[in-house]
Amino acid sequence: MKAVICTKYGPPDVLELKEVEKPTPKDNEVLIKIHATAVTASDCIVRSFNMPGRLRFPKKQIMKLMMGMAIGFTKPKNSIIGLILSGEIESVGKEVKRFKKGDQVYGFTGYSFGAYAEYKCMSVKESTKGCLAMKPTTMSHEEAASATYGGVLATHFMKGNIQSGQKVLIYGASGAIGTTAVQLAKYFGAEVTGVCSASNFELVKSLGADKLIDYTKEDSIDKLELYDFILDAVGEKKSSELKIQCKKALSQDGKYSSVDDELVKLRSEYLVLLKEMVEAGHFKTVIDKSYPLEQIVEAHRYVDKGHKKGNVVISVI
């Protein structure tokens, strides 16, 4: 099978497309024929082994140590990286009951990685090594792959923290996590303020944002209100004076969360919720660019720039 191999950490050029052996599922695994994957900010961090630049000592060193223990210190433990997939189950192990051959699925591979390939074996047991669910019937594989990353991360930080009628602010509302977070907050009944550049106002408004703030403007701080929940959807790799002040713009019982705060628990229930939203017409995916697997290096170069809108998708088959 074709797969993108990463045998050392570094710039996008370390990625190589090669022919490798097709995997065979164990008794508790399914074999997925991958139709689409995605290049996320996390994929670029894994490939480069580079933590967000604004993290300070000792937090950066601690996170890098934890990352090395999980994925490898000198090179990736699994040379086939990639976190997101959407595809079709080709075969199942004899212990598998949740899925059957032919099921259309999408998922997050977690620390098992392996999504930059034509095939991937995944355990049906949820763990740090992945979660899997039935794909939304109204989405193509490319659309499902683009929705997965933001769907899992945004839901992890937001579910249970938002009540109908509350005020929510999403900092970084035009990225993969932010575009999902805006739609989730509206689905939960919140009044949503999206923070992004003015060039992305139209996009974020189309996703349901009630108010918009341009973080590049000097008067942006004056537009802040008091919020019941604030999600920093870009993490510590990006900051601004507005972002610093956001931490003070909370209601009495308000909560501020950043996607860098903790490790995300991979749960298929997040993907099930996203599927329900999609099929009920409450969610639409945002795809900035799409590349074939053969152009994975170019896709990583683009995501490395840090200005993508929504998601970057890779067509595998």
Side-chain angles (χ1 to χ4, degrees), residues 41-42 45 51-55 149 177 232-239 243 258-260 303 306:
S42 294
I45 290 172
M51 290 286 102
R54 292 182 181 272
L55 288 175
Y149 182 73
I177 302 172
D232 167 18
V234 295
E236 298 191 44
K237 64 180 179 290
K238 292 184 179 180
S239 189
K243 185 173 175 180
S258 169
V259 292
D260 285 338
V303 176

Side-chain angles (χ1 to χ4, degrees), residues 53-66:
R54 292 182 181 272
L55 288 175
R56 296 182 179 181
F57 181 88
K59 185 175 181 180
K60 185 171 184 177
Q61 281 67 26
I62 293 172
M63 289 185 68
K64 203 158 189 176
L65 176 62
M66 293 175 62

Side-chain angles (χ1 to χ4, degrees), residues 58-174:
K59 185 175 181 180
K60 185 171 184 177
Q61 281 67 26
I62 293 172
M63 289 185 68
K64 203 158 189 176
L65 176 62
M66 293 175 62
M67 180 174 162
M69 292 173 65
I71 70 172
F73 285 101
T74 59
K75 63 179 182 180
K77 291 179 181 178
N78 183 352
S79 61
I80 305 175
I81 62 173
L83 292 166
I84 303 302
L85 61 79
S86 181
E88 179 179 339
I89 292 183
E90 183 169 289
S91 62
V92 301
K94 62 182 181 181
E95 296 177 3
V96 176
K97 305 299 181 184
R98 282 179 57 201
F99 301 102
K100 65 182 185 300
K101 181 179 178 179
D103 281 348
Q104 307 295 302
V105 295
Y106 70 144
F108 202 120
T109 65
Y111 287 136
S112 70
F113 300 105
Y116 288 176
E118 291 182 311
Y119 292 91
K120 162 71 177 172
C121 288
M122 284 187 70
S123 170
V124 295
K125 182 180 180 181
E126 295 176 7
S127 68
T128 57
K129 295 185 178 180
C131 61
L132 195 64
M134 297 293 289
K135 178 182 74 67
T137 57
T138 54
M139 274 188 165
S140 67
H141 285 292
E142 287 74 16
E143 290 170 331
S146 73
T148 305
Y149 182 73
V152 170
L153 270 68
T155 307
H156 171 81
F157 288 102
M158 299 177 72
K159 190 177 182 183
N161 285 320
I162 299 173
Q163 304 297 322
S164 180
Q166 290 185 326
K167 290 187 176 182
V168 172
L169 181 139
I170 309 298
Y171 188 97
S174 60

